[in-house]
Amino acid sequence: MPRFHRFAVALALSTSLVAAGPALAKAKAADPAPIADLVKAVDIPYQAFTLDNGLRVIVHEDRKAPVIAVSVWYRVGSKHEPKGKTGFAHLFEHLMFNGSENSPGDFFEPLQQVGATDENGTTNVDRTNYFETVPTGALDMALFLESDRMGHLLGAVTQEKLDNQRGVVQNEKRQGDNNPYGLLRYEIFENLFPTGHPYHHSTIGSMGDLNSASLDDVKKWFTDNYGPNNAVLVLAGDIDVATAKTKVQQWFGDIPKGPEVKAPATSVPTLPAPLAKEVKDLVPTTRIYRMWAIPGLNDADAIPLQMAMSVLGGLSSSRLDNALVRKDPVAVSVSAFAQPFEDAGILLVQADVKPGVDTALVGQRLDEEVAKFLASGPTADELQRAAASYLGSAISGLESVGGFGGKAVALAEGALYSNDPGYYKVELDRMAKATPEQVKAVANKWLSRPAFSLTYVPGERTEGGENRGGAVTGKVTAAVEPDRYWNPALGDVGPDTGFGTSIADRSQLPAVADLTALDFPTIERAKLKNGIEVVFAKRTAVPTVNVAVSFDAGYAADPHDALGTQSLMLSLMDEGTKSLDSIAFAEAKERLGAQIDGSANADETVFELFALKPNLAPSLTLLADYIRNPAFDAKELERVRAQQLNRLKAELNNPNAIASRVLMPVLYGADHPYGIPPSGLGDAKAVTAATQGQLASFHSTWIRPDTARIFVVGDTTLKEVTKQLETAFGNWKAPETAKPTKHFEVAIPAPQPRILLFDRPKSPQSVILAGKVLDAKGTDKLEVLRSANDIFGGSFLSRFNTNLRETKGWSYGVRTRISSDKDRIAWIAAAPVQADRTGDSIKELQSDLKSFLGDKGVTAEELQRTTNGNVRELPGSFETSSDVLGGLRAIVKYGRPDNYYETLPATYEAMTTAEIDGAARKALSTEGLVYVVVGDAATVKPQLDGLGLPVETVTLDN
């Protein structure tokens, strides 16, 4: 999949398909529509106006769902932080969620009440943004909340809140630092950008600067940077500009203009000479980086550089993949990407050394391939595939109006960074006009400069992250991500000044207007001649089609004496069919702009296709070939085996993965289908021993038409797609052998409460998992029990998270969850906490749970919040085709009626506190919990010994 960084471009491409639908439909089935034609049709219509106080407002009307994305972007990021104040922008982002003068409670409390979705905030080097998608009738409430924290915040900022959020941010930093490659962000910025450059320090900041932040410091930060004239507000969705003008003026019009914010002086630095550094970390294999600083996103070279990196190391059929992974397999994985920020950017080329291969040789080969690319440049065919593949991969999640990458993001980024909400058109025009000669010249211009060569070597770290990230320190597997308010690891135009000043009534939260109920798409069904059922729902917002071919297998089907078989099979299936080798298969997907991949969960093995409507027939043909005729090539097997062993090593260094690998076999027993490491990667011995014949046998046993079901959501009809599926799958005959079975009758062991401690030296955080198997199945009616879990630990506002994060500041976020398996389910608590509070955190979990199940059951307020949130978020929960596809699959998996989601409001509204308390007390208990702690034993074991539970030190071998 190409790794272009800018979602705005992706969004624009998705929107182009809406406008270009009829023209695209005329394209020949095997002849994908030209990229230039798509780009010409791109249009995200918007209107804009500016209040007297300088607030710029952009409105995009999209009536497909009764929701509105509210997105507020402030031009203040870590590059604006002076020496000694690193991390301030992100710390203040956290404080903005802790209540304002006229809404003193948690920002998410009223949002959950109205059923908001996609609510969060993020900070990066250039900006801070806050966003939520709300039902149309709740727009006034969202605008009240956003305007109150813009104009009426300081009276609500207290020393207590500052100290709490400082602790949360420091635990966010520890959580990031604790992971393999967790210190990479510091290496990138500190070495590519010199001391004093605005991009030299990381967004998370240093512990010292965070500790030194005073109440006066943060209040001055707000006064200096959070004025309306330093912000952009985007409203996208079920709204028109006339309504927007009235409401925005009402809520934001009385906020006074702030001081002008001066952008810091920046440049695109060039290293004076090649720079090399080697660091040690808990990583699976040696990784080699080559890095450069590059120009910012407004520079004409930004798009050609991104296209160059897609061809070099982004496409599945990239130059580096073909040379270093496929043909001469000296690396287990490679990548290249360019990530421009506003004023400068970073470009990374990387290779993970295949175990047993000399690092110097891989570095030499990597440099040779980069040099070859610079000498030859890309071909026209490679550029076409880069653009088409990018189009296909990006559009799949872009029917949404807001969130992390919807249409509001495209407009806000353009307005904030380029003074043009439609700047995506400039980028797309550059993409369409890019030529091999131009891309070659641009790549040579920037990659011929001295590089920063960073080598990660497996071993114990010699330095941690506590003192990294400040502005004066020292001289990615993916692009650098913004720092978010919620813990992502837990699931979770010209001025118009014709307005006077309006003072809004802030004495109470605005009333919520009538909300539109969920209208889930009609489910239709058909059967192919060979008996495969087709489950279909029509969605026409964009001319794309999502297909999932699901088999009753999943990781529970893995042979317990050969765990990892299915993952290895799925990886090998990606490497070609009997008629298309690995490179040809990758190129075929890229030309069609299609995404095809296989995955599994505990219960199902699923092969998914995302296709552009005019390319649906050939995409389905390719999907069928992929599923039915895998090559299982012996040479490719050795390559994907090495890759899986590398992923397995990576998992054995990741504290969250280690905890899961320890816990699940203990809860379910090693013989139960669910008593396996949940990632499905298996164990190294079995993966090493697996043969071509074993994988082919597993495929023929489990991937067969009589265990299959096909789900389709998109811009087609049941009749049309059934005809196409008949051509692709209809002649697939089931084998004569009986269907395979999974043995869920295996007895689950009685729980033995204890603490299993896995020693991970020098870990700044401990990962705690606690769990038990419940006397229930995923097919049972679990709505009441899941509501109980939401209240206790399943949401941001839950008791457990409020205690450990918002009150004590010991964690970036904790959660509890009920598994989504089809058979016996488990209740799991997950808590990454600072190491010196490991024992205390377990005490708090026990105390909170005992209280919840005892005399402090569900309150009327908690019931109302959970019920309102669950009911009102439903329309926004099925905004996209992929959302609907997931809903269809869940209906079938759990045996629910077709109108299940439309009946949910009545189910939730009938719940009582007594009913939820009863379900919780029946299912949950502080007794019978098994705890796993992954952390520094020297630090945490003394804390655990005083908890009254047996403490056993474990390894992944015992």
Side-chain angles (χ1 to χ4, degrees), residues 99-247:
S100 52
E101 293 168 3
N102 300 291
S103 182
D106 193 290
F107 188 84
F108 291 109
E109 170 71 36
L111 286 178
Q112 184 170 339
Q113 289 272 11
V114 300
T117 55
D118 291 329
E119 61 266 41
N120 213 324
T122 75
T123 308
N124 71 8
V125 292
D126 298 313
R127 54 89 188 130
T128 305
N129 66 357
Y130 305 87
F131 49 89
E132 57 275 340
T133 300
V134 296
T136 306
L139 177 62
D140 277 311
M141 179 179 288
L143 294 179
F144 165 87
L145 292 168
E146 290 291 359
S147 63
D148 209 57
R149 63 178 171 185
M150 178 187 285
H152 306 271
L153 184 82
L154 289 185
V157 178
T158 65
Q159 187 66 48
E160 181 183 9
K161 289 180 179 179
L162 171 59
D163 291 341
N164 168 262
Q165 289 305 313
R166 188 200 330 262
V168 172
V169 169
Q170 289 177 332
N171 275 300
E172 179 180 354
K173 177 180 170 71
R174 292 186 185 105
Q175 179 173 306
D177 292 351
N178 196 34
N179 288 317
Y181 303 107
L183 307 184
L184 176 62
R185 53 185 167 179
Y186 310 129
E187 300 293 351
I188 293 173
F189 290 106
E190 291 171 11
N191 288 288
L192 288 181
F193 300 96
T195 298
H197 192 286
Y199 288 171
H200 175 73
H201 65 277
S202 72
T203 303
I204 200 72
S206 73
M207 287 293 191
D209 286 356
L210 290 169
N211 280 325
S212 71
S214 70
L215 192 59
D216 287 341
D217 286 335
V218 297
K219 287 187 174 183
K220 186 175 188 307
W221 182 264
F222 174 78
T223 303
D224 289 348
N225 294 288
Y226 274 80
N229 48 308
N230 199 40
V232 172
L233 166 64
V234 180
L235 301 175
D238 188 20
I239 189 170
D240 54 55
V241 71
T243 303
K245 283 183 176 182
T246 301
K247 291 185 180 295

Side-chain angles (χ1 to χ4, degrees), residues 550-688:
S550 177
F551 295 85
D552 183 10
Y555 292 133
D558 243 10
H560 279 222
D561 59 352
L563 292 177
T565 297
Q566 182 165 199
S567 284
L568 194 59
M569 178 201 76
L570 291 171
S571 295
L572 191 53
M573 287 178 69
D574 287 336
E575 301 306 326
T577 70
K578 292 174 181 175
S579 60
L580 296 170
D581 67 16
S582 178
I583 295 175
F585 179 61
E587 290 179 349
K589 290 188 291 182
E590 290 161 1
R591 285 195 185 94
L592 292 168
Q595 296 174 39
I596 295 177
D597 57 70
S599 63
N601 55 39
D603 300 304
E604 305 156 291
T605 303
V606 186
F607 301 94
E608 295 189 77
L609 164 70
F610 168 81
L612 305 177
K613 180 180 179 179
N615 300 340
L616 179 58
S619 298
L620 284 172
T621 299
L622 195 61
L623 175 68
D625 193 32
Y626 165 67
I627 295 173
R628 298 175 57 180
N629 306 306
F632 291 136
D633 181 89
K635 184 178 178 182
E636 301 290 357
L637 171 58
E638 295 314 308
R639 179 164 65 81
V640 300
R641 189 199 312 277
Q643 291 172 331
Q644 183 156 329
L645 289 171
N646 192 58
R647 290 197 300 274
L648 189 52
K649 276 187 186 177
E651 181 168 291
L652 302 184
N653 285 321
N654 182 290
N656 295 292
I658 291 169
S660 294
R661 288 184 73 91
V662 172
L663 182 63
M664 302 315 289
V666 170
L667 292 186
Y668 283 98
D671 295 328
H672 192 275
Y674 294 160
I676 62 175
S679 71
L681 290 176
D683 64 75
K685 184 176 179 181
V687 173
T688 302

Side-chain angles (χ1 to χ4, degrees), residues 25-38:
K26 297 174 184 176
K28 294 179 182 177
D31 185 17
I35 296 298
D37 288 355
L38 297 177

Side-chain angles (χ1 to χ4, degrees), residues 855-876:
D855 59 355
K856 293 183 179 177
V858 176
T859 67
E861 292 78 11
E862 288 172 327
L863 173 64
Q864 181 187 45
R865 181 177 69 219
T866 300
T867 299
N868 285 347
N870 285 336
V871 171
R872 293 170 175 177
E873 73 181 8
L874 281 169

Side-chain angles (χ1 to χ4, degrees), residues 171-485:
N171 275 300
E172 179 180 354
K173 177 180 170 71
R174 292 186 185 105
Q175 179 173 306
D177 292 351
N178 196 34
N179 288 317
Y181 303 107
L183 307 184
L184 176 62
R185 53 185 167 179
Y186 310 129
E187 300 293 351
I188 293 173
F189 290 106
E190 291 171 11
N191 288 288
L192 288 181
F193 300 96
T195 298
H197 192 286
Y199 288 171
H200 175 73
H201 65 277
S202 72
T203 303
I204 200 72
S206 73
M207 287 293 191
D209 286 356
L210 290 169
N211 280 325
S212 71
S214 70
L215 192 59
D216 287 341
D217 286 335
V218 297
K219 287 187 174 183
K220 186 175 188 307
W221 182 264
F222 174 78
T223 303
D224 289 348
N225 294 288
Y226 274 80
N229 48 308
N230 199 40
V232 172
L233 166 64
V234 180
L235 301 175
D238 188 20
I239 189 170
D240 54 55
V241 71
T243 303
K245 283 183 176 182
T246 301
K247 291 185 180 295
V248 173
Q249 178 61 31
Q250 176 187 355
W251 294 111
F252 291 85
D254 65 332
I255 300 174
K257 182 179 292 189
E260 295 298 322
V261 178
K262 292 184 179 180
T266 59
S267 62
V268 182
T270 294
L271 295 174
L275 176 65
K277 183 177 181 180
E278 180 178 291
V279 297
K280 291 184 177 180
D281 200 355
L282 294 175
V283 296
T285 189
T286 299
R287 174 174 292 173
I288 301 168
Y289 288 99
R290 302 288 187 260
M291 306 184 196
W292 293 264
I294 58 171
L297 55 86
N298 289 305
D299 194 285
D301 288 349
I303 291 296
L305 269 176
Q306 291 177 78
M307 297 190 76
M309 290 307 99
S310 184
V311 172
L312 178 63
L315 293 170
S316 297
S317 64
S318 75
R319 298 280 184 94
L320 292 178
D321 276 289
N322 290 346
L324 304 184
V325 180
R326 289 190 174 96
K327 295 176 181 177
D328 178 21
V330 297
V332 288
S333 66
V334 292
S335 73
F337 64 86
Q339 182 180 16
F341 305 113
E342 182 178 14
D343 301 311
I346 57 176
L347 187 152
L348 274 64
V349 179
Q350 69 188 56
D352 284 2
V353 176
K354 184 177 180 180
V357 179
D358 180 57
T359 299
L361 171 65
V362 181
Q364 177 186 333
R365 293 284 291 110
L366 180 65
D367 292 336
E368 289 172 353
E369 290 304 321
V370 173
K372 284 181 185 178
F373 175 73
L374 295 179
S376 69
T379 66
D381 182 59
E382 285 174 322
L383 292 181
Q384 186 277 333
R385 285 188 281 115
S389 184
Y390 177 52
L391 166 63
S393 65
I395 191 177
S396 60
L398 290 169
E399 292 171 84
S400 59
V401 290
F404 286 103
K407 287 183 276 192
V409 172
L411 297 172
E413 281 191 332
L416 199 70
Y417 299 146
S418 311
N419 198 32
D420 177 7
Y423 187 72
Y424 63 86
K425 291 189 175 185
V426 175
E427 295 178 305
L428 290 173
D429 184 62
R430 289 172 180 166
M431 179 190 290
K433 291 178 178 176
T435 64
E437 294 77 17
Q438 178 203 18
V439 173
K440 175 185 174 182
V442 169
N444 274 275
K445 174 181 175 181
W446 294 101
L447 272 68
S448 61
R449 298 143 64 233
F452 171 43
S453 298
L454 177 67
T455 304
Y456 262 82
V457 178
E460 190 170 299
R461 284 180 179 173
T462 56
E463 60 180 325
E466 295 287 307
N467 298 315
R468 303 289 295 275
V472 293
T473 53
K475 297 181 181 174
V476 186
T477 54
V480 177
E481 294 285 346
D483 289 299
R484 303 177 179 184
Y485 181 69

